[in-house]
Amino acid sequence: MNSIEHFVDGKILKGNSKKTGKVFDPSTGEQTSEVKLATTADINKAIEVAKKAFLGWSQKTPLFRARVLFKFKELIEKNSDELTKIIVSEHGKVYEDAKGSLIRGLEVVEFACGIPQLLKGEFTENVGTNVDSWSTRQPLGVCAGITPFNFPAMVPMWMFPMSIACGNTFVLKPSEKDPSCSMKLAELFMEAGLPPGVFNVVNGDKEAVDAIINNKDIAAVSFVGSTPIAKYIYENCAKNEKRVQALGGAKNHCVIMPDCDLDQAVNGLMGAAYGSAGERCMAQSVAVAVGKIADPLVKNLSKKVESLKVGPGLDKKSQMGPLVTKQHLDKVKGYVDIGVKEGAKLVVDGRNLKLQGYEKGFYMGGCLFDHVKKGMKIYKEEIFGPVLSVVRAKDYNEALNLVNDHEFGNGTSIFTRDGDTGRSFASNVKIGMVGINIPIPVPMAFHSFGGWKRSLFGDQHIHGPEGVRFYTKLKTITSRWPSGIKSDPEFIMPTMK
Ligand code: NAD
């Protein structure tokens, strides 16, 4: 059995924990690895190493750091096939989708290569007579990242390249369900010339997370995962005086207007609802059908959902892979059972899908519900699987209110040919990321990513310009040369003349 340890101080660290987790290949259902789950002592050791490394790394010039990142970018490109296969083997998503998610992570590294420009401060000559003032952004110290299972490359890469580019050192605690990709990225970063201890990966569960929250040497925590854990992280990091951004779950609505291009909307919804088996925080899990579009929408969707090609991620014909674990598969199927009991109409039932030769894999087919209502559990909660709920709304205002009244606020889209409707939606919807005829509006790395409401606790979105602000502290310096100083004491609040 393959054993996955930790990566600390530039090398593999065998922790002292006896606790292990199981890592599966979701396509076969077989356990492929055992992952060591760190003790508090393991985490503290990694943080101590990162604290020492900070002394040197924070003093490196931004240009030096950019050059290491540039080399890292080249190595990711060179190793993209291996990294993609690692993602497929532990997460289950199909190869091209896994590769796309790696590229979206790579784009953050590319953005971080511009760190000399991004860290440039502001300068004002003569804020007072012979007095100059400038502001600069300085790194925080040791930062930590805690990441979910659904994007084992992209989500960690939203965090550590930005943090490290800013001059911080980093301890990453990836999901214990698919930890190998982070281990490989750490190895490549070292190969790129990153000094030991600047980037560390410690595998673990709640004990590791709590050790991060309670360690006084952690200056900032970036979290991405489900909303209850995001709230826990936010509250406890704040209590321990840490800077924190905690991105949570989602229930993204896609509003389908009667004037839209139906083919475009249906195809957009198919990819957004069933791509990555619905295990995306930007998955569209609710289609709001406005007015007379509802019947043709459901008819067209149902044909496509029935013919979805489900199979192992490495099979080029597969459009949708398995779910991540048996436990998660059971949870998603359980939600479908609940929806049926609640009275929603199950138009396509994928619960009983079996694949010949892969009987133990964690597969299910796509499910499509119609006539889902606001009060239903399947509408209120995040299912995080290949289940699309159609809710019928009589007009645009009812659709907009549905989106705005939901507790989550990650992403949303509208399909319409009408410019006024698109503009009104973008302006009035209470959601962090909005698409107009774009089914999955994930911002590029040079913008920033983040939701509203209970999809993000904290003030700053992740990566991009917001990432630079999150991972640095602002300092403003006001200065004059001694020759310009009057020698009399001044007891009044200084004002500039
Ligand atoms: P999760 O919340 O179960 O786990 C996320 C991380 O928290 C993991 O590293 C895990 O080890 C840790 N963790 C789990 N339980 C914990 C506990 N009790 N105490 C402390 N730490 C704990 O999430 P997941 O199932 O891995 O990922 C899916 C969720 O992530 C979905 O809700 C999805 O919407 C969300 N997500 C959100 C975004 C976003 O940008 N908003 C992006 C990706 C995923």
Side-chain angles (χ1 to χ4, degrees):
M1 176 77 55
N2 179 39
S3 177
I4 304 167
E5 311 279 340
H6 315 295
F7 192 93
V8 175
D9 210 7
K11 51 189 179 294
I12 297 292
L13 169 79
K14 288 192 189 274
N16 54 25
S17 172
K18 301 269 177 297
K19 241 187 345 172
T20 57
K22 291 178 178 177
V23 179
F24 294 90
D25 177 344
S27 71
T28 60
E30 275 163 22
Q31 186 186 347
T32 50
S33 306
E34 182 176 79
V35 58
K36 291 281 169 65
L37 301 176
T39 59
T40 302
D42 295 330
I43 289 279
N44 288 345
K45 182 177 165 58
I47 295 170
E48 201 184 302
V49 162
K51 191 180 171 190
K52 280 205 190 101
F54 178 74
L55 299 176
W57 184 246
S58 57
Q59 295 305 312
K60 296 283 185 204
T61 61
L63 191 58
F64 179 93
R65 299 198 295 255
R67 285 181 177 149
V68 175
L69 280 154
F70 205 88
K71 188 88 189 114
F72 181 44
K73 165 193 141 58
E74 286 174 350
L75 287 170
I76 295 168
E77 284 163 345
K78 203 166 132 198
N79 290 274
S80 72
D81 181 57
E82 185 184 343
L83 286 161
T84 303
K85 284 182 176 149
I86 294 174
I87 300 171
V88 175
S89 71
E90 293 184 352
H91 178 279
K93 62 180 89 191
V94 301
Y95 183 91
E96 287 303 324
D97 181 37
K99 194 168 171 194
S101 73
L102 178 69
I103 291 169
R104 297 307 297 262
L106 178 68
E107 287 163 3
V108 180
V109 180
E110 288 169 343
F111 178 76
C113 286
I115 202 68
Q117 171 72 14
L118 294 165
L119 283 182
K120 267 169 34 184
E122 293 177 321
F123 185 91
T124 309
E125 189 182 15
N126 249 8
V127 284
T129 309
N130 292 331
V131 177
D132 302 324
S133 190
W134 69 95
S135 53
T136 177
R137 303 204 74 96
Q138 295 189 335
L140 308 175
V142 184
C143 301
I146 301 160
T147 52
F149 78 81
N150 66 323
F151 283 110
M154 183 181 83
V155 172
M157 286 159 91
W158 283 351
M159 303 173 181
F160 72 83
M162 291 305 308
S163 176
I164 287 171
C166 290
N168 302 289
T169 53
F170 205 87
V171 175
L172 171 69
K173 205 290 301 164
S175 169
E176 61 275 40
K177 294 184 183 128
D178 45 16
S180 296
C181 192
S182 296
M183 296 292 281
K184 182 69 192 174
L185 288 170
E187 213 180 275
L188 293 177
F189 217 167
M190 284 296 297
E191 201 183 321
L194 193 73
V198 175
F199 180 46
N200 308 281
V201 179
V202 186
N203 291 303
D205 57 8
K206 179 172 166 52
E207 181 180 347
V209 171
D210 286 340
I212 289 170
I213 295 173
N214 291 320
N215 189 301
K216 66 174 177 26
D217 289 323
I218 291 287
V221 173
S222 298
F223 172 87
V224 176
S226 58
T227 288
I229 313 297
K231 189 167 186 301
Y232 172 80
I233 301 277
Y234 180 68
E235 288 173 351
N236 286 288
C237 286
K239 198 163 78 192
N240 290 345
E241 302 174 7
K242 297 182 194 316
R243 189 175 285 202
V244 56
Q245 54 182 183
L247 283 70
K251 192 82 179 176
N252 305 311
H253 292 55
C254 189
V255 175
I256 313 294
M257 295 300 293
D259 69 338
C260 76
D261 177 326
L262 187 60
D263 269 359
Q264 205 183 67
V266 167
N267 287 328
L269 265 173
M270 285 303 297
Y274 301 101
S276 199
E279 293 168 325
R280 287 183 185 143
C281 64
M282 289 292 275
Q284 297 285 4
S285 50
V286 178
V288 185
V290 177
K292 62 179 175 20
I293 198 92
D295 286 338
L297 177 74
V298 172
K299 191 168 158 226
N300 281 280
L301 274 173
S302 64
K303 271 192 249 152
K304 295 217 172 194
V305 180
E306 270 160 10
S307 58
L308 251 180
K309 293 187 185 71
V310 182
L314 290 180
D315 182 340
K316 284 201 165 61
K317 291 191 294 301
S318 305
Q319 294 169 319
M320 188 174 103
L323 278 82
V324 69
T325 56
K326 168 84 170 59
Q327 193 191 20
H328 189 58
L329 175 69
D330 292 343
K331 183 177 155 193
V332 173
K333 285 186 182 175
Y335 269 112
V336 181
D337 299 342
I338 291 169
V340 173
K341 281 201 196 102
E342 284 179 316
K345 184 177 172 199
L346 186 57
V347 183
V348 184
D349 182 0
R351 284 174 295 182
N352 298 318
L353 179 105
K354 283 272 170 284
L355 283 187
Q356 208 180 2
Y358 294 93
E359 287 78 2
K360 294 206 173 115
F362 310 139
Y363 299 95
M364 66 182 283
C367 294
L368 178 66
F369 276 113
D370 192 8
H371 296 286
V372 173
K373 299 278 185 296
K374 217 177 159 178
M376 292 178 181
K377 200 172 159 82
I378 58 161
Y379 176 74
K380 290 194 282 196
E381 296 182 11
E382 181 182 38
I383 299 175
F384 220 55
V387 182
L388 176 62
S389 296
V390 177
V391 180
R392 294 175 178 233
K394 68 174 183 312
D395 56 22
Y396 166 75
N397 284 333
E398 189 182 332
L400 179 68
N401 288 339
L402 268 172
V403 186
N404 284 347
D405 289 348
H406 206 283
E407 67 167 301
F408 296 117
N410 217 37
T412 188
S413 293
I414 189 164
F415 277 84
T416 179
R417 283 194 176 96
D418 184 69
D420 276 345
T421 309
R423 189 175 185 283
S424 156
F425 187 73
S427 176
N428 295 310
V429 75
K430 295 190 177 98
I431 302 284
M433 294 169 283
V434 184
I436 301 172
N437 298 315
I438 298 286
I440 314 180
V442 175
M444 296 296 287
F446 33 92
H447 291 269
S448 300
F449 181 106
W452 285 13
K453 298 187 271 185
R454 303 192 78 234
S455 292
L456 190 154
F457 301 97
D459 304 317
Q460 252 129 14
H461 286 196
I462 208 162
H463 75 61
E466 289 270 272
V468 176
R469 288 190 278 271
F470 182 76
Y471 290 122
T472 55
K473 287 182 287 206
L474 185 69
K475 185 182 274 181
T476 307
I477 299 128
T478 308
S479 128
R480 83 182 141 196
W481 287 89
S483 58
I485 301 176
K486 277 203 295 169
S487 59
D488 298 337
E490 285 186 21
F491 298 102
I492 56 167
M493 183 68 192
T495 55
M496 294 299 184
K497 296 177 191 78

